[in-house]
Amino acid sequence: MYLSTRIKYSPVQAQKVVQSLSGFLRPSTPSWQRQYHDESFGFRKRKEYVFPDYTEAQLENRHRNAPLLRYVDSMRTHGHRAARIDPLDLIHREEVGALNPARYGLVDPNQKYNVDGILWTKPIEGKTIDRAGSKEEWWTLKEIERHLRSVYIGRIAHEYMHSPSKTERLWFSHLLESESLPSSAESRLLSTFDHDQKRHIHGLLARSEVFDNFLQLKFPNLKRYGLEGGESMLPALDSLFASASEAGVEHIILAMPHRGRLNLLTGLLEYSPAGMFHKVRGGSELPEEYGGEGDVLSHLISSPVLDYGHSRPVKVSLLPNPSHLEAVNPVALGKTRAKQFSLLKTSPENCTLGDKAMCVQLHGDASFTGQGIVMEGLGLSNLPHFTSGGSVHVVVDNNIGYTTPASNARSSLYCSDVGKMINAPVLHVNGDHPEDVVRAMEIAFKYRQYFRKDIIVDLLVYRRCHNELDLPNLTSPLMYEKINSRRSVPQLYEQKLIAEQALTEKDITDLRSSYKAHLESELAKTPSYEPTQTVLGGRWSSMVWPTGKDADFNPKTGVEIDTLKKVGEASVQVPGGFSVHPKLQRHVKSRLQSISTGSGVDWATAEALAFGSLMLEGCDVRISGQDVGRGTFSHRHAMLVDQTTEGVVVPLNDELKADGKLELANSSLSEMAVLGFEYGASWERPNLLPIWEAQFGDFFNGAQVIIDTYVSSSESKWLMQSGLVIALPHGLDGAGPEHSSSRIERFLQLTNDRYESDGHPANVNMHVVFPTTPAQYFHLLRRQIRRNFRKPLAIASPKSLLRLSAAASSLSDMQPGTSFQPVLADPLVDPSEVQRVVLLSGKLYYELIKERKDRGLDDKVAFIRIEELSPFPFEELGEVLQKYTNAEEWYYVQEEPRNQGAYLHVNARIGGVLEKVGVLERLVYVGRKESALPAPGIGKLYKQQQQEIMDATFRGL
């Protein structure tokens, strides 16, 4: 924030003004946001930014030379518009009037100005400028202009002046203009490259080009999404990995799309070229014994440990990703944060997120602009329960998306402009100049390390073609005329190094020939190649593969009554002096009463008992979503807010004192990014119970891509297990088309559930359940952790049942010897007296048993609840149904329309069970007719339809 030339301040007054503005703009506690005191587990105070402010003399000089200050700031703000960042020189660049010093009355090139406090200069005559004090330094206008143009109008363009943080703006101007920072702990930027460094950069570029040419020669019909034109991506990442290793980062989680993926895998990430050629020729990337179905070539993964010669090597994990561009971003964020979860439990408060793990995301320019998941992911970057210490984003910017030119692909000047929603700085760099690319990556990493926030590097390159079977000049003839007439990036760099005598022609020929020979050798190994993959290493070493003989599908989930009581009491205890909302006293009293009597345990209490008992066993729990601390239906209250201070406590953490921790992550209003985040966390830690709770069941459809491409298919595609729980409040209750249905039919359609039983436990891709009692929910949550393998779990969770007394459980339903029951028989009838057996799932059960009692038909109708829909419980259902020897009619009832709900999934399967137990009658469907809506929006129509279901269920009895 700078002083106006129209206001006359004394130096002391000016200093006070700047100090007041500095307090307003402190990035650690932005005062333009209302501060909510949620410092519960998982929260870490943002790093404090220490940076020297202007001295009084500098403020006076800025005031005295206001025209010069305006000119310098204009160069910092608008220099990017004139920078030489486009390798094809196709981006229209007009004359930027703001960069002309004459606009500010600066016309004499030989006029000298004191630049202290206005321009941060390089050391002069071997003496470093004293930043802490004030020192006059006189430069001519010509020298000032030359220096600013060398910094801001080169092959790197810097956008940072949009930041509301004065500290960040000062940091950048110091670093860029003087190539140093005030802190002695910061090393200077690498201003020159020695011959070894240049040869290393060249090796990465040249091998990438040889690799693409080799694939084109050997497999001319292969879509490989080569890196031609964007080869500078490899030295960019190599530089970033090296900087991270030197800084002590031990884990890098890398997310990227398809372009250049094969080059990165073989060029940097130590993926076997023989394995890649094996895949190209139709082989599997997965060991046969796991039964996976695999994925396409451009989704291959690798997790090497790279040694850059520092004290500790760095592990780089390239995540598997779907073809839905950018969907991998939040998955990478979640996995990165989960790597640091144990630090949140054990490290001192001054331990900063991002010290040991870093997320790196690669993007394409069209997808970075066009995909909403990018905005959602950026929105998580600085949230207290989602930040992982800052991500480095690299946009491989082709200025075209398949056949769509940039003018049709975005409404903004740059593809990176979406990052300005979080005030992320942007470095645009010309990909034709690899050394400038490396320099930009150094700056990006320094920023990330200092501020632990996201930064974007916009790497402007070009693309020979979208894929190798494409003819891009059909739609972009002028662009591709220019591309086809120019030398490649590696060849241009070779020219430069030959001129600098860093390389010879023989060096180049030998390197290229050697790498081509290596690829030929790897290709020759293809016929005998056998894929290997460690699927259960590291933190997963205690897990087993679900098809193995040691897999435990039904572990013990019951808990001692004394332990349950201890957890239940702790879950509503608060420290002395803590002011609980008066209306929550009833919540506390009700819970303590149910724990004391052992009966009337509601859903929220059962959930707390599951969480707390797992925490006592050393497991961590994380539940995220909109309003999860309180609960959408004001039922959970796992997080309590002091009514006088807005301070927060989580009683299960504060009072239980368990080894495990509960993290309550009230999220942004995002579904896709938050679900992806929790899914990524589930990949990292098998001893974490990660839960994403939708505000209403149908909210998941905003995250359908994550469910389709990750949750339902990762085990089969990539051999990746996940214990994610998706809780979806479900139930028709007159609320209208939205907020009624969790679209359970979609989840069931995505399962690979079998249609007939072979007598063995089914290895389904995910479990889909519809529990009707708190005890069932308790056992489901504990089963997720107690099993020795992991499966995603989708729960059609309750709304109206949350406080329904008829749906309550007792502590005895959760004691040792009890477990989740996939099928619940009717406890109120004598099977030998029953004439009609009704099978169903969900909360409709409670409406039907009430209707049955009102009609006096308790001895004629039995209601059998199918609690687990996938895997379908063939044996358990058969054992129950065979008891009804005198039944004459067999119904399936649901409140959802016939084309929705579970009916289409269970119909044939129930029919097979009935046939097996000797029932020849046809299963009769009762429920709403086919509909385009999950539920009607007219109240009278809803009640009429609901009554028709009741009448049809009991008709003829």
Side-chain angles (χ1 to χ4, degrees):
M1 197 69 69
Y2 300 107
L3 305 181
S4 167
T5 58
R6 297 183 181 179
I7 303 175
K8 302 298 183 181
Y9 289 111
S10 71
V12 174
Q13 289 173 323
Q15 176 72 5
K16 289 180 178 179
V17 169
V18 171
Q19 286 175 342
S20 66
L21 292 174
S22 174
F24 177 74
L25 294 174
R26 280 189 65 172
S28 56
T29 54
S31 56
W32 59 87
Q33 290 182 345
R34 173 179 172 271
Q35 295 302 301
Y36 186 70
H37 306 136
D38 175 13
E39 298 190 8
S40 60
F41 173 76
F43 171 88
R44 279 294 169 98
K45 287 186 178 179
R46 194 176 294 175
K47 185 178 179 181
E48 294 288 342
Y49 311 143
V50 180
F51 210 88
D53 203 348
Y54 302 108
T55 64
E56 291 186 13
Q58 288 173 335
L59 286 170
E60 173 61 24
N61 188 47
R62 288 163 65 85
H63 173 62
R64 185 183 308 113
N65 290 298
L68 178 63
L69 174 62
R70 291 176 60 208
Y71 168 59
V72 171
D73 275 349
S74 289
M75 289 293 289
R76 292 165 177 160
T77 303
H78 302 293
H80 64 90
R81 294 164 55 194
R84 303 183 301 277
I85 56 176
D86 180 13
L88 300 180
D89 200 26
L90 292 175
I91 298 178
H92 177 63
R93 292 292 185 186
E94 59 187 15
E95 184 67 26
V96 183
L99 305 183
N100 184 352
R103 290 178 70 96
Y104 311 98
L106 308 174
V107 293
D108 183 356
N110 297 314
Q111 175 72 40
K112 286 193 172 185
Y113 298 89
N114 178 14
V115 298
D116 185 35
I118 297 174
L119 179 68
W120 309 114
T121 62
K122 295 181 180 180
I124 295 177
E125 299 176 355
K127 296 180 182 179
T128 303
I129 301 301
D130 180 9
R131 312 281 181 217
S134 177
K135 182 175 181 181
E136 292 187 0
E137 185 178 357
W138 295 83
W139 282 36
T140 66
L141 177 62
K142 183 178 180 179
E143 290 172 329
I144 293 170
E145 185 175 10
R146 183 189 304 122
H147 181 59
L148 288 173
R149 285 184 171 272
S150 71
V151 172
Y152 293 108
I153 310 180
R155 292 186 290 261
I156 306 177
H158 312 87
E159 286 192 275
Y160 64 88
M161 291 294 284
H162 57 272
S163 172
S165 165
K166 183 193 68 176
T167 298
E168 292 188 34
R169 296 194 304 270
L170 273 174
W171 185 93
F172 263 107
S173 58
H174 267 284
L175 183 63
L176 299 176
E177 294 163 21
S178 69
E179 293 196 351
S180 63
L181 290 171
S183 170
S184 60
E186 289 284 350
S187 60
R188 290 176 55 79
L189 273 178
L190 185 65
S191 55
T192 59
F193 296 85
D194 61 33
H195 283 186
D196 286 342
Q197 291 166 325
K198 293 180 179 181
R199 284 192 287 266
H200 178 71
I201 292 172
H202 167 257
L204 293 169
L205 299 173
R207 283 190 290 272
S208 177
E209 187 170 44
V210 170
F211 177 78
D212 276 326
N213 291 341
F214 185 84
L215 286 181
Q216 185 64 33
L217 177 66
K218 300 296 183 179
F219 307 101
N221 295 320
L222 173 68
K223 288 184 181 181
R224 54 185 164 81
Y225 305 102
L227 196 53
E228 294 110 319
E231 290 92 346
S232 289
M233 181 190 87
L234 293 178
L237 292 176
D238 181 65
S239 168
L240 182 60
F241 297 164
S243 296
S245 175
E246 183 178 9
V249 174
E250 298 174 6
H251 302 277
I252 292 175
I253 308 303
L254 180 60
M256 74 173 297
H258 48 277
R259 191 195 175 189
R261 192 179 184 97
L262 304 185
N263 305 67
L264 177 63
L265 282 165
T266 55
L268 266 182
L269 301 188
E270 301 180 353
Y271 195 92
S272 163
M276 187 171 294
F277 300 143
H278 172 78
K279 177 68 175 176
V280 171
R281 288 180 164 172
S284 173
E285 70 274 29
L286 308 177
E288 185 177 348
E289 62 267 24
Y290 294 109
E293 298 177 63
D295 202 355
V296 298
L297 178 70
S298 54
H299 295 170
L300 294 176
I301 61 174
S302 181
S303 297
V305 177
L306 305 181
D307 189 352
Y308 283 94
H310 303 298
S311 58
R312 282 194 146 188
V314 59
K315 182 174 182 178
V316 180
S317 298
L318 175 60
L319 297 190
N321 67 294
S323 292
H324 290 72
L325 295 174
E326 310 292 343
V328 67
N329 300 348
V331 179
L333 289 172
K335 185 172 172 66
T336 305
R337 181 169 173 103
K339 275 193 173 294
Q340 304 173 87
F341 196 99
S342 58
L343 291 177
L344 292 172
K345 292 171 59 177
T346 60
S347 62
E349 286 299 317
N350 61 2
C351 175
T352 307
L353 285 167
D355 285 347
K356 299 298 181 184
M358 177 173 72
C359 182
V360 178
Q361 299 176 33
L362 271 68
H363 316 272
D365 52 312
S367 60
F368 197 65
T369 296
Q371 296 296 302
I373 185 61
V374 173
M375 184 277 290
E376 291 189 33
L378 290 172
L380 298 180
S381 61
N382 294 322
L383 299 183
H385 292 276
F386 292 88
T387 182
S388 58
S391 298
V392 177
H393 301 264
V394 181
V395 183
V396 182
D397 186 349
N398 313 299
N399 250 304
I400 192 170
Y402 197 10
T403 66
T404 303
S407 57
N408 287 15
R410 62 176 182 263
S411 299
S412 57
L413 176 61
Y414 298 117
C415 65
S416 55
D417 285 346
V418 66
K420 291 179 181 176
M421 64 168 278
I422 60 167
N423 301 306
V426 182
L427 308 177
H428 308 273
V429 58
N430 190 322
D432 260 6
H433 301 273
E435 291 175 20
D436 290 291
V437 171
V438 170
R439 185 184 180 91
M441 297 308 295
E442 286 185 331
I443 297 170
F445 182 73
K446 283 181 179 291
Y447 173 87
R448 184 267 178 189
Q449 283 298 94
Y450 195 87
F451 293 103
R452 297 298 161 88
K453 295 169 69 177
D454 288 30
I455 185 169
I456 300 168
V457 177
D458 180 19
L459 176 60
L460 283 96
V461 297
Y462 60 88
R463 186 183 71 198
R464 289 286 176 186
C465 53
H466 176 73
N467 66 67
E468 290 64 37
L469 306 183
D470 185 36
L471 295 174
N473 53 0
L474 290 175
T475 52
S476 301
L478 297 182
M479 172 184 275
Y480 279 90
E481 180 183 5
K482 197 158 192 174
I483 290 173
N484 293 332
S485 65
R486 74 197 314 276
R487 304 190 73 178
S488 69
V489 175
Q491 291 166 359
L492 289 174
Y493 193 56
E494 286 168 353
Q495 267 186 312
K496 178 180 183 293
L497 297 193
I498 289 173
E500 295 174 355
Q501 298 184 343
L503 278 180
T504 66
E505 292 280 5
K506 184 177 184 302
D507 293 333
I508 295 167
T509 302
D510 288 349
L511 186 149
R512 288 175 174 265
S513 298
S514 174
Y515 194 59
K516 184 178 179 182
H518 170 66
L519 294 176
E520 289 280 9
S521 173
E522 290 291 300
L523 182 62
K525 299 176 183 177
T526 305
S528 60
Y529 178 82
E530 292 289 339
T532 59
Q533 184 168 335
T534 303
V535 296
L536 295 172
R539 291 177 173 174
W540 288 81
S541 58
S542 61
M543 297 288 106
V544 303
W545 197 247
T547 56
K549 60 181 177 60
D550 296 325
D552 186 0
F553 282 79
N554 296 297
K556 296 177 180 178
T557 54
V559 176
E560 294 290 345
I561 296 292
D562 288 345
T563 301
L564 294 176
K565 288 186 174 183
K566 174 183 176 182
V567 171
E569 292 168 359
S571 69
V572 287
Q573 287 182 11
V574 295
F578 190 91
S579 177
V580 178
H581 193 284
K583 289 193 174 181
L584 288 186
Q585 297 298 337
R586 180 180 176 184
H587 164 80
V588 173
K589 182 178 179 181
S590 175
R591 178 166 299 182
L592 291 176
Q593 183 177 0
S594 64
I595 293 298
S596 174
T597 63
S599 62
V601 176
D602 63 14
W603 289 80
T605 302
E607 180 185 75
L609 297 179
F611 289 171
S613 59
L614 288 171
M615 292 162 64
L616 288 171
E617 294 166 12
C619 298
D620 299 310
V621 180
R622 175 182 163 95
I623 178 168
S624 76
Q626 299 142 25
D627 313 306
V628 294
R630 187 196 73 173
T632 295
F633 308 101
S634 196
H635 68 285
R636 178 174 290 119
H637 300 296
M639 179 184 83
L640 300 174
V641 180
D642 190 296
Q643 297 301 295
T644 57
T645 67
E646 280 197 350
V648 167
V649 296
V650 177
L652 279 178
N653 285 332
D654 297 349
E655 303 299 329
L656 201 55
K657 310 296 183 185
D659 289 337
K661 293 295 183 182
L662 169 61
E663 183 170 15
L664 294 164
N666 286 323
S667 76
S668 64
L669 199 66
S670 159
E671 283 79 42
M672 188 170 175
V674 175
L675 179 59
F677 188 100
E678 303 310 324
Y679 188 78
S682 75
W683 270 358
E684 177 62 26
R685 302 183 61 240
N687 66 333
L688 170 70
L689 177 63
I691 303 171
W692 177 69
E693 182 179 68
Q695 197 170 55
F696 290 93
D698 55 339
F699 278 24
F700 83 89
N701 53 25
Q704 191 71 59
V705 169
I706 298 295
I707 293 166
D708 289 350
T709 59
Y710 280 104
V711 178
S712 71
S713 56
S714 287
E715 184 179 310
S716 186
K717 285 193 294 190
W718 308 313
L719 305 183
M720 302 288 286
Q721 293 188 34
S722 165
L724 177 70
V725 177
I726 302 176
L728 305 169
H730 175 95
L732 277 63
D733 50 17
E738 282 78 51
H739 305 348
S740 291
S741 173
S742 67
R743 299 285 190 176
I744 199 167
E745 66 277 359
R746 293 189 189 174
F747 288 89
L748 292 171
Q749 185 186 34
L750 289 172
T751 68
N752 60 350
D753 197 8
R754 57 195 175 176
Y755 282 85
E756 297 176 349
S757 173
D758 60 4
H760 299 287
N763 182 36
V764 295
N765 58 333
M766 62 178 173
H767 289 244
V768 182
V769 299
F770 205 166
T772 56
T773 73
Q776 289 280 77
Y777 180 50
F778 167 88
H779 289 296
L780 281 168
L781 294 176
R782 286 187 50 79
R783 189 179 73 174
Q784 281 295 98
I785 289 292
R786 300 302 299 168
R787 279 177 171 171
N788 56 2
F789 60 89
R790 296 289 177 260
K791 291 284 183 183
L793 173 66
I795 302 177
S797 60
K799 295 187 295 181
S800 61
L801 301 190
L802 289 172
R803 297 179 178 87
L804 184 67
S805 59
S809 296
S810 64
L811 292 183
S812 61
D813 297 327
M814 308 174 205
Q815 66 185 353
T818 59
S819 62
F820 173 74
Q821 301 301 308
V823 178
L824 291 179
D826 193 327
L828 304 176
V829 300
D830 180 353
S832 64
E833 299 292 326
V834 169
Q835 299 176 23
R836 180 177 296 170
V837 174
V838 176
L839 296 100
L840 75 164
S841 297
K843 64 100 171 173
L844 189 60
Y845 167 77
Y846 294 99
E847 297 175 44
L848 287 169
I849 60 172
K850 182 178 183 300
E851 187 77 10
R852 180 179 64 181
K853 182 176 182 181
D854 292 344
R855 294 178 182 238
L857 297 173
D858 285 346
D859 58 343
K860 293 186 177 180
V861 185
F863 294 107
I864 311 302
R865 286 167 279 175
I866 303 175
E867 302 272 291
E868 186 158 48
L869 297 164
S870 173
F872 190 79
F874 292 97
E875 282 73 24
E876 294 88 343
L877 183 59
E879 291 176 7
V880 172
L881 295 187
Q882 66 185 0
K883 298 177 182 177
Y884 297 91
T885 54
N886 296 321
E888 300 173 353
E889 297 173 306
W890 303 82
Y891 282 24
Y892 182 81
V893 179
Q894 67 176 29
E895 59 180 352
E896 299 84 4
R898 186 166 185 163
N899 58 315
Q900 300 169 37
Y903 175 67
L904 295 177
H905 181 81
V906 302
N907 183 26
R909 292 172 172 85
I910 293 174
V913 175
L914 290 174
E915 184 178 349
K916 194 169 183 179
V917 298
V919 175
L920 302 179
E921 287 81 3
R922 181 178 63 90
L923 186 68
V924 178
Y925 169 80
V926 174
R928 285 174 169 81
K929 67 179 183 179
E930 300 80 1
S931 175
L933 306 179
I938 301 171
K940 288 183 178 179
L941 181 57
Y942 166 77
K943 291 180 180 179
Q944 176 187 329
Q945 291 177 351
Q946 203 77 352
Q947 188 58 48
E948 287 173 355
I949 294 173
M950 297 291 138
D951 293 341
T953 302
F954 297 102
R955 186 173 293 124
L957 293 174

